[in-house]
Each structure stands twice: as structure tokens, then as C-alpha cells.
DNA sequence: ACCTGAACACCGTTCAAGT
DNA sequence: ACCTGAACACCGTTCAAGT
């Protein structure tokens, strides 16, 4: 009789971890070379494998990009959770923390952020790949849970949570994109200014742009 | 003596209109093949010219993409202006029209919309190319003028206009991106639902997500 | 000035062949 | 099963050469 131990070696590239290695390589290429720096051949080289090997794990480049986007999405969610936990306070304070984590991630990893929402992943009609969809829903639930708590505590309007969540997500997502695009002058490189701008925008999200009347 | 007439022929590709032809070709490729469908060689072929000819007008692909983004930005601004003019009404009604024009353009031309804000154009530190920056400012002023009018008429909060404009732009831009990314379920293909969702989000932008208290 | 054709390096993808 | 090496089509870019 032989006892089968599940193989978990350190140099496990040849045992099923090539997929993970390729995704990590993709994230590294995004961080170093921007969106255009991500290539199948480059990822294969970084993983120490021939350029044809990735096709054992991904049908085409789009599937690798999708896997990288999924991992990036989970990193974004982590960043939000960390910021929320570090800030604490009442639910509005934690919502602001989530917003700042979101913006901070976008600025720190613009190419990864763009890949997550890059649309190279799902075309006009195709549904998003399941893993990426799941990662998106996980991020969305972090936001939605805060919204629901805010409503229960009467710190947010007694509206349908999904409506408030969509408005909040849109605002923070748009702000992040405009900042990394350089459309908000003097903010991309200045962390203090960035936080100030984010606070202003989130405050307007909370109270609206119409007069209090 | 010879009278020099300014040359404006119909088949003016050889007389300085090659640049324009290449930009138009780029827009066509974006509409038909998505962001990845845009190539220098393809644009040259569509313009009926050798693959090296574009380098007389653009230093590299990035400059062509930048020119295409600029033209796309002007199309987006036109779309907003048209929607504003068609709707009319008070300033809040026209703000809503601008938002719907923005979202409608993004959904109708997602690849062009992504290229405008694609970031392939300006890197981390580089400033945006002047033409694209100007096109962006033109779009921004359409929004800002509405905001200023709203403040003057006491339909918007007496805040710094740029703050209100940034909040509004962020919200509508983010909503557009989330919709074309497929993150807002059941909206990408449904114009009526899309308008309803946009109205809800803009209404929350106006009145905020906090209770009226 | 403006354009061409050949050339180079790089990429995504396929496939017969190796272990 | 998993990986390799050669091969193909495509791309961005350069450059000597043509008019």
C-alpha cells in the first residue's frame, strides 16, 4: 500500500501552480509596464516556461487577462476591507474609508485597476466570466453591507439599498478613473490633496448637490 | 501670374487630409472591432495608403490613439449638447439630459468611450497631449456652465462650482463605465431601463444619500 | 514633402513532437 | 498530462529609396 500525499512543493510550477504563477506574472507586468505591458509570452517567460505552455491553462490571452482581473478585483476588495477596519467609527466614517481605499488602490495600481474594468474581458453580449463576476459581487457586497447598516441605523436614506449602492459605487469609481486619467488637476501625485478631494466628493454624495431648502 | 486656389479636393487624402482620414479610420475600427481592433496598419489600409505613411502624421501609435480620443471626446461633447438642446426645460432638467447623453454615448460607442479615457494616452507622469486636454476642457465647460447657472438660479447649492462639477462628472462617468462593463445587471442592452437607472442615480446626486433629517 | 517596400523585433495562436 | 520548438499571421517601427 502506498500513502498518497497531496503534492505541495515549493517549486510547484510543474504541479499545477503554473496557472497561479502566470496570474502573478501578469500582475507584475501590469504594475511595471502598464496595460500594454501584459503579454502571454512575457508571462510565460516570467514563469520560466515556454511561450506555448500557458495554453494548457488558458484558452487564449483573454482568459489570462480575465484571471488577472479577478485577482486584481480581490486585491481591491482587500484594500477596501483593510481601510474600513483601520478606520472604524460609525457607518458613514467607514463608508468614507472604503471610498478612500478604492481611490488609493486605483492610484497605486492604475493598470491593474483598468484591467479589472477593462472590458477586454467581456464583449458586448457575452456574459462576464464566472470567476470575475464572483469577485465583482464580493466587492459589491462589502459596499452593500455598509449601505444596509447605514439604512438600519438611519444614517442613510430609507431607499432600496441597491440604488444607494449603485450611486455610491458610480461616484467613487468615476472619481478614481478621472484621477488616474489626469482629469482632476494636481491630485494624481499628491496623496493629501487626493484625500481632500475624495472627502469633498463623498460629502456631496451624502448630502447632494441641491440646496438644503 | 498664377492664381493659387486653396486645394480642397474631394479625394484629398494626398493633400493633407490623410491625417483626418486616419482618425476617421481609427474611429471606424473602434466601432467595429473594439479597443483591440484599432491598429496603425489597419488605419493605413482603410485610408488606402501604405503602412508606413501614417508616420508622416503621427510619431507613433500613441499619437494616433490620442488624436482618435480627441475626436471621440468632441463627439461625446456634441452628444451632450444635442441632448441638452433637445430636452430644454429648467437647469436641473438640462443637467439630467446631459447625463443621459453621456451615458447613451458610452453605451453606443463603448470602445470609443474607453479610448477617450483609456490612459494609453498619457502615462503616469506625462501631461496629456494638448489637443486631448483641450477637448476635455470643452466637455467640462458644458457641464460647468450648467452648474454655474444652477447655482445662480438657486437650484444648486452655493458651493464652489468645480466641486459640484467634479461630483457630477464622477457619478455620471462611473455609472457609464459600470454599465458598459456589465456590472449593472440588465441595463446594457435596454434603453428604457438604462434611462430609468440614470434618472435614479442623478436624483440621488441631486438630493444625496443621507436622510433629509 | 510625401509615400513605398523591405526588413526587424515582438506578439497571439497552432501543432506535431517529445517525456 | 504537460511542455517544447518550429511555424504562421499580424503588428509597431525603422529606413533606404523613389517621385
Amino acid at each position: 500500500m502506498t500513502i498518497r500525499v497531496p503534492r505541495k512543493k515549493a517549486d510547484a510550477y510543474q504541479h499545477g501552480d503554473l496557472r497561479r504563477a502566470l496570474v502573478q506574472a501578469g500582475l507584475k507586468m501590469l504594475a511595471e509596464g502598464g496595460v500594454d505591458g501584459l503579454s502571454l509570452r512575457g508571462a510565460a517567460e516570467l514563469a520560466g516556461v515556454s511561450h506555448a505552455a500557458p495554453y494548457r491553462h488558458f484558452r487564449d490571452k483573454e482568459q489570462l487577462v480575465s484571471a488577472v482581473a479577478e485577482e486584481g478585483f480581490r486585491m481591491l476588495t482587500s484594500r477596501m476591507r483593510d481601510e474600513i477596519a483601520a478606520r472604524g467609527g460609525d457607518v458613514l466614517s467607514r463608508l468614507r474609508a472604503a471610498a478612500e481605499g478604492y481611490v488609493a488602490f486605483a492610484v497605486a495600481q492604475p493598470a491593474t485597476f483598468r484591467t479589472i474594468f477593462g472590458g477586454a474581458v467581456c464583449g458586448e453580449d457575452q456574459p462576464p466570466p464566472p470567476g470575475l463576476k464572483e469577485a465583482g459581487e464580493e466587492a459589491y457586497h462589502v459596499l452593500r453591507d455598509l449601505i444596509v447598516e447605514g439604512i438600519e441605523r438611519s444614517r442613510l436614506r430609507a431607499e432600496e439599498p441597491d440604488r444607494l449602492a449603485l450611486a455610491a459605487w458610480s461616484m467613487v469609481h468615476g472619481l478614481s478613473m478621472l484621477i488616474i486619467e489626469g482629469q482632476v488637476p494636481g491630485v494624481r501625485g499628491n496623496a493629501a490633496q487626493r484625500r481632500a478631494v475624495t472627502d469633498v466628493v463623498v460629502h456631496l454624495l451624502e448630502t447632494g448637490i441641491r440646496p438644503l431648502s
Side-chain angles (χ1 to χ4, degrees), chain A residues 33-78:
Chain A
V35 175
D36 292 340
L38 175 55
S39 74
L40 255 179
R41 289 176 102 110
E45 192 176 1
L46 276 179
V49 102
S50 95
H51 63 262
Y55 287 89
R56 291 296 121 195
H57 299 273
F58 302 101
R59 191 161 20 87
D60 52 21
K61 185 187 180 183
E62 202 173 288
Q63 285 224 348
L64 170 62
V65 172
S66 169
V68 170
E70 178 186 337
E71 186 61 25
F73 222 147
R74 300 197 190 281
M75 290 163 64
L76 170 59
T77 306
S78 276

Side-chain angles (χ1 to χ4, degrees), chain A residues 9-201:
Chain A
K9 297 222 180 170
D11 58 344
Y13 282 10
Q14 327 302 348
H15 305 97
D17 266 9
L18 176 56
R19 188 193 148 93
R20 187 186 318 269
L22 290 168
V23 171
Q24 288 308 117
L27 287 169
K28 187 174 183 181
M29 297 175 87
L30 282 179
E32 291 175 0
V35 175
D36 292 340
L38 175 55
S39 74
L40 255 179
R41 289 176 102 110
E45 192 176 1
L46 276 179
V49 102
S50 95
H51 63 262
Y55 287 89
R56 291 296 121 195
H57 299 273
F58 302 101
R59 191 161 20 87
D60 52 21
K61 185 187 180 183
E62 202 173 288
Q63 285 224 348
L64 170 62
V65 172
S66 169
V68 170
E70 178 186 337
E71 186 61 25
F73 222 147
R74 300 197 190 281
M75 290 163 64
L76 170 59
T77 306
S78 276
R79 181 67 195 261
M80 288 174 67
R81 284 208 179 97
D82 290 351
E83 210 83 17
I84 291 169
R87 186 83 54 92
D90 77 340
V91 65
L92 289 184
S93 162
R94 277 174 282 138
L95 264 172
R96 245 165 272 171
E100 274 159 22
Y102 198 99
V103 172
F105 180 87
V107 171
Q109 301 284 342
T112 303
F113 185 77
R114 282 208 156 93
T115 301
I116 296 173
F117 301 99
V121 170
C122 63
E124 302 300 282
D125 39 359
Q126 279 128 1
L132 183 58
K133 192 187 169 196
E134 189 189 313
E137 284 166 357
E138 191 186 341
Y140 180 73
H141 272 88
V142 171
L143 170 61
R144 195 180 190 278
D145 286 349
L146 280 174
I147 297 277
V148 168
E149 182 187 341
I151 295 172
E152 285 170 352
R153 294 184 190 278
S154 299
R155 307 301 306 266
L156 293 179
R157 189 172 296 198
E159 261 266 15
E160 222 214 310
D162 287 320
R163 294 184 171 195
L164 301 187
L166 178 59
W169 192 11
S170 294
M171 176 96 81
V172 176
H173 185 73
L175 177 64
S176 303
M177 292 244 43
L178 294 177
I179 288 176
I180 65 177
E181 183 62 19
Q183 297 278 3
V184 188
V187 164
R188 199 168 37 171
N190 185 329
Q193 273 249 345
R194 193 163 63 238
R195 204 180 133 150
V197 165
T198 304
D199 282 347
V200 164
V201 167

